[in-house]
Amino acid sequence: MTRKYDVLVIGGGNAALCAAISAARDGASVLVLEAAPKFYRGGNTRHTRNMRCAHDAATDILTGPYTEEEFWEDLLRVTGGKTDEELARHMIRESKDILHWIVRQGVRWQPSLGGTLSLGRTNSFFLGGGRAMLNALYLTAEQLGVDVLYDAEVTDLEIADGMFLSATFKHRDGHATIKASTLVAAAGGFEANIEWLKTYWGEVADNFLIRGTPFNRGSVLKLLLDKGVLEIGDPTQCHAVAIDARAPKFDGGIITRHDSVVFGVVVNRDAQRFYDEGEDIWPKRYAIWGRLVAAQPGQIAYIIFDASSRNSFMPTLFPPIESDSIAGLAQKLTLDPLALEKTILDFNAAVRPGTFDHTILDDCRTEGLTPPKSHWARKLEKPPYYAYPVRPGITFTYLGTRVNKQARMLMKDGKPSANMFAAGEIMSGNVLGQGYAAGIGMTIGSVFGRIAGREAARNARN
């Protein structure tokens, strides 16, 4: 640890590796500090499947064009306008090249999946999933001479007048301090820190499940904010989906998520519906359901569907709860049988016939029902009946560090840091004020990781 590196990267996921590779390709010496053990390296990237990138034409893996303007309109819609337009448009523009750059770093694509994901035109899928992608990036980084330390949790940062000087971290049985000319922070959000979540959410956060890594506790984010970096983002906003209530507290990953919402109805523990299950195409709405469930009594809800939809969506790790009657299903869920029967009867009575097609905003809807189901509404009348219990599954939080187009952190006085950059979830609030669309997290990580690494290397040289 007596060596002074050009670039210190804190974090071990997609954003961190893209930064490390980018800096190394620009001639910089790079050290990566990953808090997790080697087997669990990679943060939330281990659980990912795809990335959303703009492209002007169909490719071997994508079925059609996805223009910069369409990407922007999708982002504008899911965030409700709560995004930094300059940074967001810059990210979208840069994503067109990332689609090819990431392949040059050893990552491979597979043909996009269809079904409820409806992403064949917009999103590219990693061959072998997120872990295979990570392995490819780590291999490339190591071939470029990047040094990596695992089980290396940063405990302090020395920062003076907006300039990074050194980092102290726990490693094996003691602490060590490392100096570097520049810093790239890519250590994720604070979603695995339940006590920190409770400062904003209250006691209900005890009922949250954390889809991703237990190592994203926000320690680096807190250090940066405490030492003068300007913050961005609402601390209660996050990527939060409805995941199986039977999932583990941490690290359940993609196989605990449910894509069955559009095929049925969702009720709370009072057996009442509380939101439009057919509001929009699933990849643009799946990430609102965690927050919706978080607002329900006991932070629990139940997806109810019938035999007609049993094989219509991607299966999950846990099988559905099953019964030949709605009342029987209610008993198994410990819901009021009469209340659930009335909810389903009222829903069925409100369904208007149409042509069902879950890949488009079809004309199957309800009338005179509050809340409505705007699309994909079909009567639940074919036994057996099924249910999945779901809780809020937090993927990552949006509170983070403010950055500019060079991924350089801004200080509380509004001035850019002398030598500190950020990429990935730790700065995602610049783009995601709220909401989410499938694959954007990986776009943020790859685009700003590449930029941060490049700019950090240039800064170190100067």
Side-chain angles (χ1 to χ4, degrees):
M1 293 297 99
T2 57
R3 176 183 180 184
K4 182 177 181 180
Y5 286 84
D6 294 326
V7 180
L8 174 65
V9 179
I10 303 176
N14 169 54
L17 268 294
C18 286
I21 289 169
S22 178
R25 288 199 181 281
D26 222 4
S29 59
V30 183
L31 172 66
V32 173
L33 296 180
E34 164 62 293
K38 185 174 182 179
F39 181 81
Y40 291 105
R41 70 184 183 183
N44 290 334
T45 304
R46 292 185 299 119
H47 299 302
T48 60
R49 293 184 293 188
N50 61 81
M51 185 190 304
R52 182 179 294 255
C53 293
H55 49 278
D56 294 326
T59 69
D60 292 342
I61 57 165
L62 294 160
T63 60
Y66 186 51
T67 65
E68 292 181 40
E69 194 59 31
E70 185 181 359
F71 193 158
W72 164 245
E73 290 171 358
D74 283 343
L75 179 61
L76 199 62
R77 187 179 306 112
V78 298
T79 60
K82 294 182 178 180
T83 183
D84 182 312
E85 181 171 355
E86 181 184 26
L87 278 178
R89 285 188 178 275
H90 182 58
M91 178 198 75
I92 291 167
R93 193 175 309 115
E94 291 286 315
S95 76
K96 295 175 78 171
D97 189 51
I98 280 290
L99 191 62
H100 310 289
W101 182 85
I102 204 79
V103 172
R104 296 197 293 273
Q105 315 318 316
V107 177
R108 295 292 176 261
W109 303 116
Q110 69 178 36
S112 286
L113 302 178
T116 52
L117 293 171
S118 305
L119 296 173
R121 183 175 62 85
T122 61
N123 289 41
S124 302
F125 282 70
F126 308 120
L127 181 63
R131 191 180 285 272
M133 180 222 192
L134 274 170
N135 289 342
L137 293 180
Y138 269 100
L139 179 61
T140 297
E142 289 160 6
Q143 289 172 342
L144 290 170
V146 172
D147 291 331
V148 180
L149 277 180
Y150 300 103
D151 291 300
E153 180 185 358
V154 172
T155 58
D156 197 15
L157 296 172
E158 185 182 2
I159 297 170
D161 297 322
M163 174 174 283
F164 167 75
L165 300 173
S166 67
T168 300
F169 60 96
K170 289 191 296 186
H171 187 56
R172 298 194 177 96
D173 297 325
H175 285 75
T177 297
I178 185 73
K179 293 183 177 181
S181 299
T182 56
L183 170 71
V184 176
F190 66 94
E191 62 276 1
N193 190 329
I194 303 299
E195 292 306 310
W196 194 352
L197 290 174
K198 286 167 71 172
T199 63
Y200 306 114
W201 287 89
E203 297 303 313
V204 302
D206 280 329
N207 289 327
F208 294 175
L209 302 176
I210 312 307
R211 297 175 70 210
T213 175
F215 297 98
N216 280 8
R217 297 184 50 80
S219 55
V220 174
L221 172 61
K222 190 174 189 308
L223 285 169
L224 290 168
L225 298 184
D226 287 348
K227 292 176 182 288
V229 174
L230 182 63
E231 72 176 51
I232 185 74
D234 179 346
T236 69
Q237 291 294 335
C238 52
H239 179 341
V241 305
I243 70 171
D244 203 292
R246 298 163 290 184
K249 186 68 173 179
F250 297 99
D251 232 7
I254 197 73
I255 58 173
T256 62
R257 192 183 95 191
H258 287 294
D259 295 325
S260 53
V261 168
V262 300
F263 295 99
V265 300
V266 184
V267 301
N268 58 22
R269 72 179 184 188
D270 298 322
Q272 303 299 312
R273 292 178 59 247
F274 53 89
Y275 198 80
D276 183 349
E277 301 92 347
E279 183 180 41
D280 204 345
I281 295 292
W282 186 237
K284 299 175 184 177
R285 282 295 179 269
Y286 78 96
I288 70 170
W289 280 90
R291 293 182 65 84
L292 292 172
V293 174
Q296 299 307 304
Q299 296 71 58
I300 187 85
Y302 305 88
I303 306 168
I304 313 290
F305 56 99
D306 70 4
S308 66
S309 302
R310 180 67 178 87
N311 298 314
S312 298
F313 49 86
M314 188 172 293
T316 62
L317 177 63
F318 301 95
I321 296 164
E322 176 181 346
S323 178
D324 288 331
S325 69
I326 293 296
L329 191 63
Q331 289 176 339
K332 289 185 176 183
L333 302 175
T334 66
L335 300 178
D336 182 335
L338 292 178
L340 185 58
E341 284 183 324
K342 185 178 187 306
T343 293
I344 301 303
L345 284 172
D346 289 347
F347 174 79
N348 287 347
V351 170
R352 294 297 174 262
T355 304
F356 180 82
D357 185 346
H358 67 82
T359 66
I360 62 172
L361 298 175
D362 70 8
D363 59 352
C364 296
R365 59 186 175 83
T366 61
E367 280 186 5
L369 191 66
T370 303
K373 185 170 182 181
S374 301
H375 307 283
W376 315 300
R378 294 187 295 179
K379 294 181 180 181
L380 304 183
E381 56 185 4
K382 184 179 180 181
Y385 300 95
Y386 301 96
Y388 287 116
V390 292
R391 287 198 179 276
I394 312 300
T395 310
F396 64 92
T397 47
Y398 294 171
L399 176 68
T401 60
R402 192 76 168 95
V403 300
N404 61 19
K405 288 170 62 177
Q406 287 74 46
R408 190 184 294 266
M409 291 187 232
L410 303 184
M411 306 306 292
K412 289 177 181 176
D413 61 7
K415 296 178 181 178
S417 164
N419 63 346
M420 297 191 297
F421 304 83
E425 294 172 7
I426 202 168
M427 48 68 63
S428 62
N430 290 272
V431 175
L432 296 170
Q434 66 180 30
Y436 192 76
I440 286 183
M442 294 299 287
T443 314
I444 293 171
S446 297
V447 167
F448 286 101
R450 181 189 184 191
I451 293 171
R454 180 180 67 220
E455 295 298 323
R458 291 175 181 176
N459 186 282
R461 284 200 302 272
N462 295 329

